[in-house]
Amino acid sequence: MRRTSSVTERDDAQLKANTEMLRMYWDIGRTIVERQEKEGWGTKVVARLSVELRSAFPNQRGFSRSNLNYMLKTARVWPEQIVQQAAGKLPWGHLQLLMDKCDTRFELDFYAQHAVHRGWSRDSLGSAIHRSLHLAQGAAANNFRVSLPGKSEAVQEIFKDPYRLDFTELSGRPAERDLENALVANLVQFLTELGTGFAFVGRQYPIVVGDTEFRIDLLFYHCKLHCFVVLELKTRKARPEHFGQLGFYVSVVDDLVRDKEVDGPTLGILIAESRDRSVVEYALRGHNQPLAVSTYAGLPDQVRELMPSAEDLSRIADEVLREQSAE
């Protein structure tokens, strides 16, 4: 108990120190902005101020010319007090990355909020920006506005388009079972790509209707929305009949698996190789169950061709072992 208390106190102290540092950096940046506006200071003032601050505070790091330019940019990007924003809860390195990689205030706030909420490291934040998560989040075509009135926006936000599945190292058009196997084999990465709140329930999940057994590709539970999510995979373009199958599975899970006193309505997501928006629009109209369709992006063929095959890796490993034995 004493150890836990010590860790908590240390975390609180680090958070407080980070907050005070950001407050100081923002104040310096704001001072530069105001002086530039009132006195017409040029860019040379940053270099001069850097020298003066390092001379006045020789034991204080962070007053380099480049860092002062980041402080100036921080004050311009967030004209309101930085510590009152989601960005104010992030380490300085995260903020530098955001300002380097994001073009709009919307993107900056989007990634700052997600980084705080999900506890992203700097590398994870950079990966999310590289994958343009702000464009994919909530972009899956769906019928939630009709099937889930009043909840559509919250539900829509948990689905993306496209899903980045390049970690599977599959290219071209793999068999659906191969894609499913690769996703389950890399389950931690797949859950990370799905987003916060998804818990894995099972693959080829059996449901029995009458005297017939059916199997759902992948079944998840969303811990924040408190509902099951049926996920069906198609390694070809989404077709109207796919929605019929998905809707059937959603209905069965809704009736036979979920606890109606605890769980919300079951959701269905079809992840296909591609989709025709017009076809999807008409297909979704014919279903009352909350359904969505997204696409996936795997490893580009030109990249896959440059990677060693399993046979190559095995051959090289054998050669190394033989050479080691000979020595």
Side-chain angles (χ1 to χ4, degrees):
M1 193 69 164
R2 188 177 303 166
R3 183 180 178 184
T4 302
S5 176
S6 176
V7 171
T8 301
E9 289 174 1
R10 185 174 68 247
D11 291 343
D12 289 343
Q14 290 175 345
L15 179 61
K16 190 172 183 178
N18 183 70
T19 300
E20 291 306 312
M21 185 188 75
L22 291 182
R23 192 193 306 276
M24 178 184 69
Y25 282 179
W26 184 88
D27 285 339
I28 293 173
R30 189 61 192 161
T31 297
I32 298 174
V33 170
E34 291 173 351
R35 290 295 181 87
Q36 285 179 332
E37 292 174 351
K38 291 179 181 179
E39 303 174 21
W41 281 7
T43 55
K44 290 183 179 180
V45 71
V46 174
R48 190 164 66 247
L49 184 59
S50 173
V51 173
E52 292 175 1
L53 286 172
R54 282 187 289 183
S55 176
F57 304 100
N59 297 322
Q60 176 70 50
R61 300 177 61 185
F63 292 141
S64 67
R65 180 177 178 178
S66 62
N67 216 35
L68 284 176
N69 279 318
Y70 277 117
M71 297 178 203
L72 175 60
K73 193 170 184 179
T74 299
R76 286 175 173 164
V77 170
W78 291 281
E80 60 277 20
Q81 247 301 345
I82 183 68
V83 296
Q84 297 174 359
Q85 314 303 312
K89 297 179 176 64
L90 293 174
W92 182 237
H94 284 56
L95 291 185
Q96 290 175 309
L97 178 63
L98 284 173
M99 290 185 284
D100 284 340
K101 300 296 184 181
C102 296
D103 297 323
T104 67
R105 175 63 186 267
F106 167 78
E107 292 175 45
L108 286 160
D109 289 341
F110 175 90
Y111 289 109
Q113 290 167 5
H114 278 67
V116 171
H117 181 63
R118 300 183 181 184
W120 281 342
S121 66
R122 193 173 186 275
D123 287 343
S124 297
L125 174 59
S127 176
I129 296 173
H130 178 70
R131 292 182 286 114
S132 298
L133 179 64
H134 68 289
L135 297 177
Q137 194 83 33
N142 61 81
N143 65 353
F144 298 152
R145 186 170 297 179
V146 175
S147 59
L148 293 172
K151 299 180 180 179
S152 60
E153 291 186 9
V155 174
Q156 182 172 328
E157 282 302 307
I158 75 169
F159 294 129
K160 307 176 189 175
D161 184 35
Y163 287 94
R164 305 294 305 188
L165 305 184
D166 46 347
F167 58 83
T168 63
E169 297 187 358
L170 297 174
S171 61
R173 181 177 287 174
E176 288 166 10
R177 185 55 63 88
D178 290 338
L179 177 57
E180 180 185 318
N181 288 339
L183 293 178
V184 174
N186 297 274
L187 187 58
V188 172
Q189 288 173 280
F190 186 39
L191 286 171
T192 300
E193 176 61 19
L194 287 176
T196 303
F198 281 89
F200 182 60
V201 176
R203 63 176 298 192
Q204 292 300 305
Y205 189 88
I207 51 175
V208 179
V209 179
D211 58 358
T212 305
E213 181 181 85
F214 301 88
R215 290 185 176 270
I216 297 170
D217 285 349
L218 298 168
L219 184 63
F220 295 87
Y221 189 85
H222 200 276
C223 301
K224 292 190 175 182
L225 296 179
H226 301 289
C227 66
F228 285 96
V229 180
V230 174
L231 192 155
E232 282 293 298
L233 300 168
K234 298 297 176 185
T235 54
R236 53 190 186 277
K237 181 181 286 188
R239 299 179 59 82
E241 55 266 30
H242 298 157
F243 293 93
Q245 179 187 38
L246 179 61
F248 171 75
Y249 289 157
V250 168
S251 294
V252 175
V253 171
D254 224 28
D255 287 343
L256 304 183
V257 180
R258 76 165 177 136
D259 184 336
K260 295 179 177 59
E261 294 183 1
V262 177
D263 303 323
T266 303
L267 310 177
I269 174 73
L270 174 71
I271 300 182
E273 179 203 34
S274 60
R275 70 185 187 193
D276 183 307
R277 287 190 175 274
S278 297
V279 171
V280 167
E281 182 180 345
Y282 280 110
L284 287 173
R285 286 186 194 175
H287 294 274
N288 295 323
Q289 304 94 339
L291 307 179
V293 58
S294 183
T295 57
Y296 66 86
L299 196 66
D301 290 339
Q302 61 268 31
V303 175
R304 179 63 178 164
E305 290 171 1
L306 298 176
M307 297 180 66
S309 65
E311 291 77 12
D312 291 334
L313 293 174
S314 178
R315 174 177 52 78
I316 294 170
D318 287 341
E319 291 174 358
V320 171
L321 289 172
R322 281 199 300 271
E323 291 175 0
Q324 186 173 351
S325 298
E327 294 176 357

